[in-house]
Amino acid sequence: MPEGPSIVILREEVAAFTGKAVERAEGNSKLDKSRLVGQTVQSFRSWGKHFLIELDDVSLRIHLLLFGSYRINERKQSSPRLSLGFANGELNFYACSVQFIEGPLDEAYEWSADVMGDAWDSRAVLKKLRARPRLLACDALLDQTLFSGSGNIIKNEVLFRTRIHPLSLIGELPAAKLRELAKEVRVYSFDFLRWKREGKLKANWLAHTKTTCPRCKIPFVKAKSLGRSKRRAFYCERCQKRHGDSEKVSVNAPVAEE
């Protein structure tokens, strides 16, 4: 599943279509595609993993889900979910979710939650985190209402960087450690973006998909389905400290969120 930084790259790659009118709208999406023809692209925006196309009187929300993809000025052999044609090229989306958003985007989104956005507000996310003390750290970093754009790569890498065990309870983290966690999600997201542009993202992974802790030189724990989010996790039992009811929380039965 593409994470926030990858959607920022998509937004940048399609900039040439800004201000262009949609001349053709096709695909196997069940949306009324005829409504799009003749409308002008006012802007391309992103909120976390959502790619947003703002048109004259409606916006499109595209989520690439687990296996979605896109092509600019070229096509795959499979049928697109949505294909938009412009005078200067075309934009094709595959295996994704496509929805209309009625009304202003500023009324539909809380921009301060987007870890890649200019409106990111760390104080607001800290307030939300403190209100959910029984939330597991591994689940917090995948909660899009807290960290919009953070995905499994960001989760594993940030928890390793901050030396936080994924089964730690948010309410048990020291205040300084909680602030560090919130800050590092944004810092790592921009590292992710830079490495993705350079084609060096995987080369810079320290924990995600790795087998050995680069700090302790011992095997990582690999969990196939961790927390309520049930996503893969890679972590070190020695240097990533487990905060909270560690004897009451297990990989298979995480503490329920209050």
Side-chain angles (χ1 to χ4, degrees):
M1 179 184 294
E3 303 187 23
S6 297
I7 304 304
V8 169
I9 290 174
L10 165 57
R11 188 185 72 203
E12 295 170 347
E13 289 177 339
V14 300
F17 299 128
T18 303
K20 304 300 181 181
V22 177
E23 297 185 351
R24 173 184 54 77
E26 301 170 346
N28 55 29
S29 168
K30 294 181 180 179
L31 292 182
D32 178 11
K33 293 173 286 294
S34 65
R35 181 180 178 184
L36 304 175
V37 177
Q39 294 212 39
T40 300
V41 175
Q42 299 298 320
S43 69
F44 293 106
R45 303 174 73 176
S46 61
W47 183 83
K49 301 174 185 179
H50 293 186
F51 177 62
L52 306 168
I53 305 176
E54 188 174 20
L55 300 168
D56 294 325
D57 64 9
V58 72
S59 295
L60 285 169
R61 171 194 290 157
I62 296 171
H63 194 304
L64 294 177
L65 306 175
L66 284 174
F67 304 109
S69 61
Y70 65 91
R71 296 290 187 273
I72 301 170
N73 297 329
E74 62 178 8
R75 299 190 184 190
K76 298 173 66 173
Q77 290 186 343
S78 57
S79 298
R81 185 62 46 83
L82 179 66
S83 176
L84 299 177
F86 305 91
N88 60 336
E90 64 179 16
L91 182 54
N92 301 299
F93 296 96
Y94 302 86
C96 61
S97 168
V98 182
Q99 296 177 305
F100 284 142
I101 299 179
E102 307 289 349
L105 288 177
D106 288 343
E107 295 180 3
Y109 285 97
E110 184 181 0
W111 301 106
S112 62
D114 181 6
V115 298
M116 304 296 297
D118 294 337
W120 164 256
D121 188 342
S122 60
R123 289 177 295 182
V125 76
L126 285 170
K127 183 178 180 180
K128 293 178 186 177
L129 286 167
R130 293 185 185 111
R132 302 171 69 181
R134 302 295 287 177
L135 187 63
L136 294 171
C138 62
D139 291 332
L141 269 65
L142 294 178
D143 189 323
Q144 300 303 292
T145 67
L146 297 169
F147 300 104
S148 175
S150 176
N152 214 41
I153 296 171
I154 293 173
K155 176 200 77 177
N156 287 321
E157 292 296 309
V158 167
L159 290 175
F160 183 73
R161 279 188 173 192
T162 56
R163 298 175 180 253
I164 296 173
H165 193 290
L167 292 177
S168 295
L169 294 173
I170 288 297
E172 298 297 328
L173 292 176
K177 184 60 69 172
L178 187 63
R179 290 194 298 270
E180 180 187 4
L181 178 67
K183 177 182 178 181
E184 196 59 42
V185 176
R186 183 167 169 86
V187 170
Y188 181 78
S189 294
F190 279 92
D191 286 342
F192 183 128
L193 178 62
R194 173 168 52 86
W195 290 329
K196 182 81 172 179
R197 286 170 171 158
E198 296 171 351
K200 299 177 181 178
L201 178 60
K202 291 184 179 181
N204 282 283
W205 286 348
L206 297 177
H208 189 68
T209 73
K210 300 300 181 181
T211 58
T212 304
C213 174
R215 285 194 291 253
C216 303
K217 311 303 180 186
I218 62 173
F220 270 130
V221 174
K222 177 183 178 181
K224 293 182 179 180
S225 178
L226 193 66
R228 301 187 77 182
S229 49
K230 300 187 182 301
R231 298 294 303 279
R232 286 194 307 165
F234 304 84
Y235 57 94
C236 179
E237 287 280 13
R238 178 181 294 174
C239 64
Q240 290 179 249
K241 183 176 179 180
R242 192 163 172 166
H243 300 265
D245 311 309
S246 57
E247 73 281 0
K248 298 180 182 179
V249 184
S250 71
V251 170
N252 296 320
V255 168
E257 178 188 341
E258 290 182 350

